[in-house]
Amino acid sequence: MKSHNVAMLGTGLIGDFYTMTLHSQRSRDRVGIVYSRSDERARVFSERWDIPAYTTSIEEAINHDETDTVVVGLPNFLHEEVIVAAADAGKAVLCTKPLARNAEEARRILDKVESAGVFAGYLEDLCYTPKAMKAVETIESGGIGDVTWARSRETHPGPHSAWFWDKEKAGGGAIVDLGCHCIEVIRMFMGKGNRPVEVMAWSDTLVHPIEAEDNAVALIRFESGALGQFEVSWTFRGGLDLRDEIAGTEGTIWLNHFLRTGLEMYTSGSGDRYVAEKIESTEGWIFAVGDEVSEFGYANMFTDMFDAMDQGREPRETFYDGYIVNAVMDAAYRSARSRQWEPVDIEWRGGATGRIEKRAGTHDGHSIVKREILPDGRVKLMLSNKETGEIFDLVTNE
Amino acid sequence: MKSHNVAMLGTGLIGDFYTMTLHSQRSRDRVGIVYSRSDERARVFSERWDIPAYTTSIEEAINHDETDTVVVGLPNFLHEEVIVAAADAGKAVLCTKPLARNAEEARRILDKVESAGVFAGYLEDLCYTPKAMKAVETIESGGIGDVTWARSRETHPGPHSAWFWDKEKAGGGAIVDLGCHCIEVIRMFMGKGNRPVEVMAWSDTLVHPIEAEDNAVALIRFESGALGQFEVSWTFRGGLDLRDEIAGTEGTIWLNHFLRTGLEMYTSGSGDRYVAEKIESTEGWIFAVGDEVSEFGYANMFTDMFDAMDQGREPRETFYDGYIVNAVMDAAYRSARSRQWEPVDIEWRGGATGRIEKRAGTHDGHSIVKREILPDGRVKLMLSNKETGEIFDLVTNE
Amino acid sequence: MKSHNVAMLGTGLIGDFYTMTLHSQRSRDRVGIVYSRSDERARVFSERWDIPAYTTSIEEAINHDETDTVVVGLPNFLHEEVIVAAADAGKAVLCTKPLARNAEEARRILDKVESAGVFAGYLEDLCYTPKAMKAVETIESGGIGDVTWARSRETHPGPHSAWFWDKEKAGGGAIVDLGCHCIEVIRMFMGKGNRPVEVMAWSDTLVHPIEAEDNAVALIRFESGALGQFEVSWTFRGGLDLRDEIAGTEGTIWLNHFLRTGLEMYTSGSGDRYVAEKIESTEGWIFAVGDEVSEFGYANMFTDMFDAMDQGREPRETFYDGYIVNAVMDAAYRSARSRQWEPVDIEWRGGATGRIEKRAGTHDGHSIVKREILPDGRVKLMLSNKETGEIFDLVTNE
Amino acid sequence: MKSHNVAMLGTGLIGDFYTMTLHSQRSRDRVGIVYSRSDERARVFSERWDIPAYTTSIEEAINHDETDTVVVGLPNFLHEEVIVAAADAGKAVLCTKPLARNAEEARRILDKVESAGVFAGYLEDLCYTPKAMKAVETIESGGIGDVTWARSRETHPGPHSAWFWDKEKAGGGAIVDLGCHCIEVIRMFMGKGNRPVEVMAWSDTLVHPIEAEDNAVALIRFESGALGQFEVSWTFRGGLDLRDEIAGTEGTIWLNHFLRTGLEMYTSGSGDRYVAEKIESTEGWIFAVGDEVSEFGYANMFTDMFDAMDQGREPRETFYDGYIVNAVMDAAYRSARSRQWEPVDIEWRGGATGRIEKRAGTHDGHSIVKREILPDGRVKLMLSNKETGEIFDLVTNE
């Protein structure tokens, strides 16, 4: 039974979530050393999670005796540098999202790990939530037919650290922070082989005194004809709104990951307690999930990553996926400026996907537009004359 | 106590809903005559709703002795013609949505009733749902601050009559059928004085064998900077998805009008029964509303229309509103073709609206980007240096 | 077209709701005079609702020129006295719930209106909510088979007037205030002809400094074998919890009347506004209904009452129903004291109802306990040997 | 890092769930041998879960070389026998719920493991669901004040194996199968130190051709005055209804574990797929959880059990708890027969709990019954005269 020893780079909220997950349940993997720029934060973090060593040197963390896997939980502008170092050291590297600040940077990162031949996993946790995985399973089994539309929404009142708000360090605003989740989630529902062709985006800075966008909506047209749609905001009130909706020719899937999950509480505010990340108040009706580690996908994600390493296979989420996500975001930023659809500029490895098929039946040589059962049991057909295109009703006893 | 005598033009589903509403509860208004192209349908309809007269002549219906109000529930391509006739006869005219097939036609209709000086009301029922009205009241009272974004969604498996599917007769597809609702609902949440400036739309015919679009998504940029977003589809599976979501700087409103309203039923299918319009199955978990007349806004709508007539005021929804809606739809169709933002081309009567205001506080001369209370009670400020734009964290005891 | 002129007795919250309903939409009925013990309250009320006359004399209100219908919205201990006066005056009388403080009083009231021959209606609005009416329609059509269990729950943080809290004036506590709703709602789902046989109840005064019960739960066994269950509380936190759940042999119905109805709002509390009765806060996530007049059943209720008068038929809810409700409450109070099941002591007019039928099929002479389809398509039967009672599994290809 | 080797006794649905959990994520514990009465089932199970050994001998499974922990997933009537064997062999023993068929049997089991000195854990998974654990945390922190009422409901269309339906083998019907969950869940919310004093129950066999009850409702009075309430049914239609509701003096908690958890799907039935245990149909709107292993509490449960073993502490759920549950069920069965409240007959180890405290404030020497803020900002007090008990209103500016 193989186990892994992790160097955790970064002690922010995401470092906490990752370490909590790695140490949760009956896991056989452990964080062996933690790095922070700040000695104090590294020490406190190592105590909080019972980690045997801490350091303020990235080199030391990566090359620590027992480290076999480097987990990157640092601000976006530091990803490339540390991934290069980890790859050079021959260590497996798992990087938080987004992979980079733009596709060019992402491409260099991808090339580096591929040429170094090290294992690389893209830590897109929202592709591993139990709900999303069940949805994908349902889609792949044909349960909703061909996907025609997918909406992924992530909005909250804004991130917890200064660097997120800094356009230069982060690579952008809400699109980079939240849109990267949505894009990959949408790709997963569309099918990874369904090429994102072009993007139309709106973004604006409506509320906060920052340069980066605090609100954005984008449409992504896929090769099959299906439409992806993401909505991101740093100005949402009421907590963390994290929802996906998928429409298919044979069904519909709605996922609500945080605000209405069957856990509902009203409190007069008399207690003294932390309920969940990104809850806005500690009084009144409150909504959250029971277990963030499991329901936000962290548990499934690290299991897939380490199992993939042990089995010599690719994980579900790779650096190539991270690169695609960056390319879609680049197109969104271009579109927000050019005010028109912009192509997604990528080296595509995913093959070709056919157009969503129209499967209209025929009746007496006419296409069936719709078929309805009337209250009296008869059938009403709306038919299209194949030659003239005229559409007319026909009620039959069939 | 004034009462009104209505000539109902049209015997389709909408005619049924309108008449059911007019005759519902303890109403003092009645339909006095009904018109249909088909004598048989007119007769059956008059019997179903206990209407004293029926006719196959529009002229006769309009000029029927006691008629003081003409309700237009006919296919879109017939609106202009009958409204002209009603205006010429000096009768009040209430017209179903959309007002016309395009803004040009709508403009002629508007000019006609204004020059004739007759009362004219736009029957946009979804602006009168009790939920929407409570939402508007909340918004107007400042309950959610400045509106930054509104989403209106209407999707179902497709309409019940052939003419809806016919691009020529209807003026378009799902945008004209469903988008007209969404646009006016969004305007209501944005404030009627908030000018719709430009539109970006995607549309496609993904599933049905028709020329008109069966799916569309559009973004509408308003003068305040806020974004409206509508999603329409004739290919949705699972019933009638009718939802609005509004985000504001101080709050959030979510309205679900049909699929999760506190009425939830599971049935093995053993009974024999009609549950509601646009429900897809009579087996399994089923969702609907209790009373479509009230919850879809029909009751409030006709009350407003007749009260407005009796009080000599304008109704909440006017033909001018209908004209704006058509102009926004026109822009959406243009954008779907040009693949870029298209201006909304209108004669604007609504005045000017200021930009959503940024109300960032300051701390030591820096703009406050975000303020969070830490678990230990201290306050974390994310601050922006007004000169350099640099963003940094500060933890204080305040 | 008949219209009615109402004497409204009482100016409390219920008087407001009744008058709002009577005057709502395009109603042809009006309140012509209002009575209150307090001249000031009568005057203010008459102004609020545009009522032409007010008085502090019950006699005067009842015998006011145009009054044809007396609506009783007074505290429980005053019902008998005013109903006797109205019946003596030969006026139709509509009485709020509960009809009386106990079955004995209710019986005298019932006898009085029956001997006087006046129209009498029991204003149990929750039997007229659109959701409840759709549920009843579904049940009557066989949609959920035989009802086996019904739960009705009404809880909130306590009533708004002193007399409710006074055991003597009200006739009890939460059972009398809220249980009376639940009992009649349960009867409606069970079928009015299904006799309530016996009651088992728990009650206690857990939180408030009062003598009356502030919490109670009761079980009601019906002749068919089905179980009714009501839960009432004056100590619930979070608003007004008003839910019904019905289980049948072929289906399930869940009704939520207030807290999750598709109207969901989050507000930072910045606005200045009344959202709805019994909402606990004006900040955070808030839940309500769009239109209390319609969704709480008031509109349907008065329509039924006046239509019944005009058509010379009984309304859906009669004083006999009110009497049954009081008898069930009496049994609940007796049971809470005796700590055992207590019979419902009534003069029963509803006929007989058979036992819920067991419809087990047979297989090879054994009763089928359950039939399941296995993932591989085969069928698993759980069978009961009719002689020995032994239960065993059998997997077949059927 | 300690790991455990498990002998899994039983290959039914619960054996599958337990093994799936033990082998899930990055667990270091494994099933080393599996026992079934049937050689075929043991072999198939061992292959499905990649278990190195299987046997038809309980002795062999328990005494298998590496077995340190015996997990009992057998029918109720076999628990005592195998626990005695495991205890005699000195192995840790984890037993599925209920512990036994009645309190007498449970007591003997408890005495056996205590005298043998082996580790014993009660596998009540529903006390370990993330939602329940968050609820308990909230309650313990004072977030909802004193608990006054808790409802636990578990209903579905009936179990999957013949022995469950057999009163003799199972020890009863729906109460034993489902009520055991509810009782322990209620105890957890009430506080384990809050003694269950007496029980009032109704049960009946309404639908299935069996001797055991297929429906039951019970009330449990706790020492604090709070009321527990459970509802169980084998005749529910619509899937698995698993909900808890808790009322406290300062708040409310609602948990929905299966039917509305933020995972909602509609399918025309075109796919070919297993969605979840106890879903009734594969068509229409379908509800489930994303990950049963995590959300039904299995993951947390085994983690607690093994961590407890490794740390030499008691697990959260012990055989003593199982014994209490059996005693409460015994009281329920007695009450269903005697038709009155029946005491819970137990050896109590939990100490004493005080009565829920009434914390009424005073105003001018009167008890404050309720305090409301009026729309005009004034305060309405409902006051109780401490001497006379009379209750009256007072409006103040405070």
Side-chain angles (χ1 to χ4, degrees), chain C residues 24 237 249 340-341 371:
Chain C
S24 79
R237 304 303 302 264
T249 52
Q340 59 192 16
W341 288 90
R371 186 178 175 283

Side-chain angles (χ1 to χ4, degrees), chain C residues 151 158 160 162 165 198 200 204 229 231 237 243 245 249 252 339 341 355 370 372 380 393, chain D residues 151 158 160 162 198 200 204 229 231 237 243 245 249 252 339 341 355 370 372 380 391 393:
Chain C
R151 174 208 195 199
H160 301 301
W165 300 87
E198 54 181 3
M200 172 70 214
D204 206 339
Q229 167 183 322
E231 303 159 18
R237 304 303 302 264
R243 280 180 292 157
E245 301 176 9
T249 52
T252 295
R339 297 168 44 79
W341 288 90
R355 170 90 180 172
K370 200 179 177 212
E372 289 183 357
K380 178 176 180 177
D393 293 331
Chain D
R151 174 209 196 199
H160 300 301
E198 53 182 3
M200 172 66 214
D204 206 340
Q229 167 184 322
E231 303 158 18
R237 304 303 303 264
R243 280 180 292 158
E245 301 177 10
T249 53
T252 297
R339 297 166 44 79
W341 288 88
R355 171 90 181 171
K370 199 176 176 216
E372 288 182 0
K380 178 175 180 177
I391 300 174
D393 293 330

